[in-house]
Amino acid sequence: MNRIETALAVLQEKKEKAFITYITAGLPDYDKTKELICAQEKAGTDIIELGIPFSDPVADGPVIQAASYDAIKNGANLEKTFDCMRELRAAQVEIPIVFMMYYNTVLHYGVEKFVSMCHTCGVDGLIIPDLPFEEQGELAALLEGSDDTILIELVSPVSGARVPKILEHARGFVYCVSSMGVTGQEGSFHREVINYLTSVKSVSKIPVMMGFGIRTAEDVRPMKDIIDGAIVGSHFINLMRDSDFSAEAAADYCSTFKKELNF
Amino acid sequence: MNEKAYYGQFGGQYVSESLMNTLDELDAAFEEAIRDPKFMEQYHYYLKQYVGRETPLYFAERLSEKYGTKIYLKREDLNHTGAHKINNVIGQILLARRMGKTRVIAETGAGQHGVATATGAALFNMECTVYMGKEDIERQKLNVMRMEMLGAKVVSVESGSNTLKDATNEAIRTWAKTAEDTFYVIGSAVGPYPYPKMVKEFQSVISREAKRQHLEVEGKNPDVVMACVGGGSNSIGMFADFIDEKDVELIGVEAAGLGIETGKHASAMALGEPGVLHGMKSYLLQDTDGNIQLAHSISAGLDYPGVGPEHAYLRDTGRAKYVAITDTEAMDALMELCKLEGIIPAIESAHAVAYAFKKAKEMTRDQSMIICLSGRGDKDVNTISDYLAGKGYLN
C-alpha cells in the first residue's frame, strides 16, 4: 500500500484530521531540509509536500515564488532532491512525502526516468498544479501498476461539473484549493468555499484536504466538520524564514496546529 | 488529452484546474463568434475604419533591384498603433465584450501589445491592466507613458527575471484569480488552447490580404513568404493562408541575439527541446535543470524563451523552415531598409528583412517573396541610437 494511503487510513481509524505542510526543497540547503522533515515527523505532521523549485511557478504567490528563486540560487534541483529523499528513507524517515512541482521539470528529466526515480527514492505522491486532468495521460500511464507513487488530484471552487470525472480514479487525498488563483492569499477563501467543500466531500471516496491561504487552525474552523485535513504552505515558509529555519520553531508550530485542528 | 488542443505533440492546456472551465467557455464563445456574421462584420468594420486596413503590399523597388528578386513588403507597420498587434486585440476585445467581461488584462514585453490592448480597451470602454517586467518598464518608458495616457494601469512585475516571461506569469496568476469577470488578452500565438488558435484567426487577415494583393499584381502565389518569430503572432498570420499552398516556401526568422553558440539568443527552435511554459507544450529555452532560460535579443519583441505551438509543429513537419538572425545582421538590414526604401522598421521586423537578403541570393529575377513588415521602428529609436553610438544596448 502507498505510504499516504496507509497514513490516512490510520488517521481515519483514529478519527483524526490530517495536518500537511509545504516546504521548498533545498531552502536554505538540503541539510536543513532533512532536519525540518525529521523535526516535523516527530512533531506530528502527517504528510509533507516537498516543493521542487522551478523558475516560473505560475500557481504560486510571492512567498513560494521567492522561496523557489532562492532555492534555485542555492543550487537546488530535482536530482539533489532525489538524493535527499534517498538519504531520508535510508535513515528510516517514514513520513509520507509528496513532490509539489511543475510539469516542465518532469518533462525535462524524462517522464519515464522520473517515475522510476520516484519509486526508487521513496516519493509517495505528486502534486503538479499545471497538469490538469486532461493532460495527465502520459504520466498517469507510467504511474499505474505500482502503489509506490500516486498522483494527487486538485480541484478548485469553479471545478463544478468536472469534479466527478477528476475524482473517479483519484487516490490518496483530494487537494481542494480554497480560492481562485495562487498560493498564499492569507485567509481569503472563495465566497462559496463551504458549499464547494461540502459538494466535493459528498462525492469523494478519499479524504478531502483544503489548502491555499491557511495560516492557523482557526482559519479552517468554519469548515472543520467538512474537511479531513489542512495544508499550510506560504505561511509556514514565512514562519521558517522568521525563525531562521529553526527546526524547533517548525516543530512547535506543527504540533500546535495539529492539536488545535483535532480539538 | 484534448485532441483539438494539439498541433502534433505541441500545444495543450497546461494550466491550473481553476482555469480549465474558463478555457472551455472561451473556446465555445470564440467558435460561436467567428460563425456569427454580425461579429465578423463588426471585427472587419473596426479593422477598416479604426485600424486602417487593408495595409499595402508594397513592391520594394530599390531592394528588389539590389538583391535581384522581387521583394514585397506587407506593411503591417502602417496599422494604427504601429504594428500587427492591434488586429488580434480588436478581435479578442470584441469577444470579451460579447462574453460580458468588463476588465481586460495583458502582458507586454516591448510594450506594443500593451499599447494595442490599452487602445482597444479605451475604444470599447473597458478597464485595462497591463503587466510589464520592471526591466522592460525602464527600457520602454515611452510605451509605458502611451499606455497610461490611454487609461491603462501598468503594473510593474518584480519577480524572476523582471521581463516578459515573468509579466506573463503574473498575468496568468491574476487571471486565475479573477477569470470570472476578467478577459486575458494574449498578444502572441502562445498560451493554452484556444489562444494559439484565436490569435491565428485574428492575425490571418495579414495573409488573406497579401495573397490576394500578390495575385493581383503577379498573377500567381509568391515563391517565398517570411516573417520574424518571437512567440509567433505576425508570422502565423502571415503564413495562415499559405500553409495549404504547398508551392509557397514559408520561413520564420528567430532572433539569434549575440549568436546561437554564445547561448545569448532567443531562438527556441534552434536547440529544439520541448517543454511546458505559459500553458503550452512547445520548444523552449531551458537550462540543465529544466528551468526556463532567459532569452536574449536586441529586439524586445523577440525576447521570449518559447514559441507558439503551431510553429513547433510546422517546423517538425517540415512545412515551414525556421532560421535565426543575429542582432548585428538585423541592425544592418534595418539601416539598409531606412536608406533604400525610406522605411524605419521595428527591430523585430528587421530580422525578417535580414534573412530575406540572404534568401534572395538563391532566387531569380522573376521569382518573388513577401516579407511581413510587422511593425514600425519609432519605438526603437533609442535602442538604435545607442547601438549606432557603439554603446551597446539595454539588454
Side-chain angles (χ1 to χ4, degrees):
Chain A
M1 209 170 159
N2 178 276
R3 271 199 198 87
I4 301 165
E5 292 174 330
T6 309
L8 293 177
V10 171
L11 288 180
Q12 215 154 14
E13 194 98 323
K14 293 197 282 184
K15 297 203 180 328
E16 239 179 58
K17 297 198 185 294
F19 177 60
I20 303 171
T21 60
Y22 168 94
I23 60 173
T24 300
L27 183 75
D29 56 50
Y30 281 99
D31 284 342
K32 264 291 178 207
T33 300
K34 282 179 272 185
E35 198 186 322
L36 287 165
I37 290 173
C38 294
Q40 287 191 68
E41 183 178 40
K42 291 196 190 88
T45 300
D46 297 297
I47 298 171
I48 291 175
E49 267 185 55
L50 189 56
I52 310 299
F54 178 55
S55 55
D56 295 74
V58 286
D60 287 302
V63 174
I64 295 179
Q65 282 175 47
S68 292
Y69 189 73
D70 290 347
I72 291 170
K73 265 200 314 201
N74 296 347
N77 63 22
L78 179 59
E79 196 67 60
K80 289 182 194 165
T81 310
F82 276 135
D83 291 343
C84 170
M85 285 298 302
R86 223 187 315 238
E87 287 163 35
L88 285 166
R89 295 306 185 207
Q92 315 301 321
V93 176
E94 288 299 319
I95 186 168
I97 296 178
V98 180
F99 275 3
M100 144 83 201
M101 64 199 305
Y102 288 86
Y103 197 50
N104 195 57
T105 312
V106 177
L107 266 188
H108 179 86
Y109 196 81
V111 187
E112 223 176 313
K113 184 174 149 210
F114 171 78
V115 168
S116 112
M117 282 298 275
C118 286
H119 290 162
T120 323
C121 301
V123 179
D124 308 304
L126 303 170
I127 296 173
I128 309 179
D130 62 346
L131 195 70
F133 182 74
E134 283 76 357
E135 305 292 358
Q136 290 169 359
E138 186 182 7
L139 180 62
L142 287 164
L143 289 173
E144 219 171 273
S146 164
D147 275 344
D148 294 350
T149 313
I150 58 178
L151 191 56
I152 302 296
E153 297 290 353
L154 290 115
V155 298
S156 98
V158 289
S159 291
R162 293 172 52 81
V163 173
K165 168 172 82 178
I166 294 171
L167 294 192
E168 197 183 344
H169 301 292
R171 291 183 60 177
F173 61 88
V174 48
Y175 190 134
C176 288
V177 168
S178 69
S179 59
M180 305 270 289
V182 297
T183 56
Q185 294 186 57
E186 308 205 322
S188 64
F189 306 139
H190 194 267
R191 56 181 188 280
E192 293 289 342
V193 69
I194 297 286
N195 289 340
Y196 147 64
L197 291 169
T198 308
S199 82
V200 175
K201 180 69 185 167
S202 73
V203 293
S204 180
K205 290 171 282 192
I206 53 178
V208 170
M209 309 296 174
M210 170 175 157
F212 280 34
I214 301 171
R215 297 158 300 184
T216 61
E218 191 57 38
D219 286 338
V220 292
R221 191 164 307 278
M223 48 287 286
K224 204 180 146 195
D225 295 333
I226 312 167
I227 58 175
D228 300 296
I231 307 166
V232 179
S234 297
H235 182 75
F236 193 51
I237 301 267
N238 278 338
L239 186 126
M240 286 190 294
R241 283 205 197 258
D242 290 346
S243 67
D244 199 21
F245 298 92
S246 144
E248 248 170 69
D252 279 352
Y253 173 78
C254 294
S255 59
T256 307
F257 199 120
K258 172 82 181 173
K259 214 179 297 156
E260 288 177 5
L261 187 63
N262 286 292
F263 179 65
Chain B
M1 180 166 136
N2 182 354
E3 294 283 346
K4 67 181 178 181
Y6 277 84
Y7 305 86
Q9 59 156 321
F10 303 106
Q13 296 178 309
Y14 295 85
V15 296
S16 63
E17 170 57 26
S18 3
L19 284 172
M20 289 303 283
N21 273 327
T22 304
L23 290 175
D24 272 357
E25 283 162 23
L26 179 59
D27 191 28
F30 169 74
E31 288 296 336
E32 190 194 64
I34 58 168
R35 280 170 184 76
D36 177 355
K38 275 206 187 112
F39 177 85
M40 291 313 281
E41 198 181 296
Q42 216 180 12
Y43 168 64
H44 288 295
Y45 168 82
Y46 285 104
L47 286 190
K48 180 168 192 274
Q49 301 297 344
Y50 187 72
V51 175
R53 300 201 72 93
E54 64 183 42
T55 59
L57 182 71
Y58 167 69
F59 176 64
E61 273 171 56
R62 297 186 66 197
L63 284 182
S64 299
E65 182 53 36
K66 177 168 178 188
Y67 289 97
T69 194
K70 292 178 187 168
I71 299 177
Y72 286 90
L73 303 176
K74 182 57 177 163
R75 299 289 308 273
E76 292 301 301
D77 60 317
L78 295 177
N79 285 327
H80 179 44
T81 71
H84 69 291
K85 292 287 185 193
I86 191 85
N87 301 332
N88 167 56
V89 164
I90 296 288
Q92 287 197 34
I93 292 193
L94 283 172
L95 181 61
R97 202 168 65 155
R98 185 182 166 100
M99 292 175 75
K101 308 283 179 182
T102 53
R103 295 178 59 214
V104 293
I105 56 172
E107 81 294 337
T108 199
Q112 289 306 101
H113 174 59
V115 168
T117 306
T119 300
L123 176 65
F124 296 112
N125 190 26
M126 287 181 133
E127 199 184 314
C128 175
T129 307
V130 178
Y131 293 85
M132 192 168 181
K134 186 171 167 254
E135 290 264 323
D136 289 331
I137 286 186
E138 279 160 25
R139 58 186 182 185
Q140 301 287 343
K141 287 201 180 92
L142 210 62
N143 270 343
V144 174
M145 197 177 153
R146 289 167 81 195
M147 288 183 266
E148 286 170 349
M149 286 170 67
L150 292 160
K153 185 176 161 212
V154 179
V155 174
S156 171
V157 176
E158 296 172 33
S159 66
S161 60
N162 302 332
T163 61
L164 175 59
K165 99 181 158 63
D166 310 286
T168 308
N169 291 339
E170 208 48 43
I172 293 174
R173 290 183 187 113
T174 306
W175 186 39
K177 263 184 247 178
T178 58
E180 285 156 300
D181 67 346
T182 301
F183 190 102
Y184 180 18
V185 182
I186 296 186
S188 200
V190 301
Y193 176 85
Y195 277 99
K197 176 178 76 171
M198 291 202 299
V199 173
K200 181 187 185 185
E201 170 67 32
F202 292 134
Q203 290 294 1
S204 62
V205 63
I206 302 174
S207 53
R208 206 156 46 240
E209 286 177 6
K211 192 178 181 186
R212 180 178 45 70
Q213 291 167 319
H214 188 274
L215 191 69
E216 278 167 17
V217 188
E218 296 287 341
K220 62 175 181 75
N221 274 331
D223 296 282
V224 179
V225 163
M226 61 178 83
C228 64
V229 181
S233 63
N234 91 87
S235 44
I236 205 68
M238 185 73 242
F239 292 173
D241 271 34
F242 291 111
I243 291 175
D244 290 335
E245 304 285 347
K246 302 292 182 212
D247 54 332
V248 179
E249 190 179 348
L250 306 177
I251 303 177
V253 185
E254 290 192 300
L258 299 180
I260 304 289
E261 69 290 349
T262 65
K264 290 186 177 298
H265 63 89
S267 173
M269 306 268 212
L271 305 176
E273 195 194 348
V276 165
L277 181 71
H278 299 152
M280 63 176 175
K281 186 191 279 183
S282 189
Y283 287 119
L284 195 58
L285 299 178
Q286 38 194 314
D287 68 14
T288 50
D289 290 333
N291 288 316
I292 309 308
Q293 213 156 29
L294 289 190
H296 171 97
S297 168
I298 188 167
S299 133
L302 302 183
D303 207 348
Y304 182 72
V307 66
E310 190 170 2
H311 285 293
Y313 175 69
L314 290 172
R315 172 197 190 260
D316 276 17
T317 55
R319 178 61 193 100
K321 181 170 100 172
Y322 293 85
V323 296
I325 281 292
T326 64
D327 290 350
T328 314
E329 291 171 316
M331 296 309 273
D332 289 348
L334 184 146
M335 294 312 296
E336 183 150 24
L337 191 60
C338 292
K339 295 204 168 109
L340 285 186
E341 298 287 352
I343 296 170
I344 305 177
I347 302 176
E348 289 80 2
S349 322
H351 284 71
V353 177
Y355 191 75
F357 296 165
K358 293 188 180 179
K359 180 70 187 172
K361 291 187 186 133
E362 314 166 0
M363 294 171 65
T364 61
R365 286 211 170 268
D366 51 353
Q367 286 186 306
S368 68
M369 67 163 89
I370 300 177
I371 308 168
C372 185
L373 210 67
S374 55
R376 56 180 175 245
D378 306 33
K379 69 180 174 60
D380 294 322
V381 168
N382 286 336
T383 310
I384 299 168
S385 114
D386 284 352
Y387 178 84
L388 292 178
K391 285 192 235 157
Y393 40 84
L394 295 165
N395 209 329

